[in-house]
Amino acid sequence: MNHHRPFELVVPVGTADHMLGSEHAAVTVVEYGDFECPNCRQAAPVVRMLLERFAGRARIAFRHFPLEEVHPHALTAALAAEAAAGQGKFWPMHDLLFDNQRHLKPPQIRGYAERLELDMERYDAEMRDTVYLQRVREDIEGGNLSGVRATPTFFVNGRLQDISYGLQALEQGIEAALRPKK
């Protein structure tokens, strides 16, 4: 039995994570997201803006938490993002999936892979063989253990950041984490 405090990030950030921002940043934000979730789509530009605002001081890691019961295309989208990551294009695919959230059927997603000039033979094989399913399942499992129930869920330096009243709470959480400890 894991005896961790609730609402803390159980799986620490590591080299396998998809990261934006300086690796020496004082603050690490982890987002558990779902490409078919409207709130995640709305959060994406805010997260980018915060990365610019806290350039060099904050970085973001994106982890998959597809809510398959509610979002029929979320898992496929996550697998496609991983296939793109295998070719060094996770973030461009992340952005395309959110920008085209209403069009996430497999042939449409395949079109985004083509637009990113991925090696399509490799993409098709990896999607067919669900090569990245285990990776996505591990993200989901880590999210579950950390108390993630909905998307997007953010952790700031390992602690759950409540954003139920809006995303400005994420900015406040980063600012608080950057303040020198008394």
Side-chain angles (χ1 to χ4, degrees):
M1 188 68 205
N2 278 2
H3 292 290
H4 53 269
R5 282 171 293 190
F7 312 122
E8 296 212 338
L9 191 66
V10 173
V11 181
V13 172
T15 49
D17 276 298
H18 303 298
M19 281 289 191
L20 272 183
S22 163
E23 59 177 309
H24 305 297
V27 175
T28 300
V29 176
V30 173
E31 172 182 0
Y32 280 90
D34 168 324
F35 288 112
E36 209 174 348
C37 152
N39 291 340
C40 295
R41 182 177 56 96
Q42 288 166 345
V46 177
V47 169
R48 287 295 173 108
M49 197 184 73
L50 291 176
L51 268 180
E52 279 172 38
R53 202 193 137 193
F54 297 106
R57 296 184 295 159
R59 60 181 184 161
I60 177 97
F62 184 94
R63 291 180 178 173
H64 301 286
F65 203 78
L67 300 165
E68 296 167 71
E69 310 75 56
V70 218
H71 299 139
H73 307 299
L75 180 60
T76 305
L79 294 172
E82 286 303 319
Q87 301 190 38
K89 297 205 171 157
F90 174 82
W91 290 102
M93 181 62 97
H94 163 284
D95 295 350
L96 273 177
L97 291 168
F98 278 133
D99 290 347
N100 298 280
Q101 189 172 65
R102 288 181 189 81
H103 312 285
L104 293 180
K105 294 189 177 76
Q108 295 170 320
I109 293 176
R110 191 180 186 276
Y112 310 143
E114 285 181 324
R115 206 189 298 181
L116 294 175
E117 298 180 1
L118 298 186
D119 169 344
M120 293 310 293
E121 210 170 310
R122 178 178 164 187
Y123 173 88
D124 288 334
E126 290 180 344
M127 291 301 281
R128 189 178 57 240
D129 302 336
T130 58
V131 173
Y132 297 104
L133 186 58
Q134 181 59 31
R135 152 111 204 203
V136 173
R137 292 266 178 255
E138 282 169 12
D139 274 3
I140 295 168
E141 190 186 339
N144 282 326
L145 288 172
S146 302
V148 176
R149 299 287 171 264
T151 53
T153 293
F154 292 96
F155 291 84
V156 176
N157 280 358
R159 294 188 52 191
L160 181 73
Q161 181 66 51
D162 179 8
I163 54 157
S164 48
Y165 297 106
L167 281 164
Q168 67 275 15
L170 185 58
E171 183 173 6
Q172 288 155 3
I174 295 171
E175 279 172 349
L178 285 168
R179 266 184 227 120
K181 303 278 175 281
K182 296 224 160 45

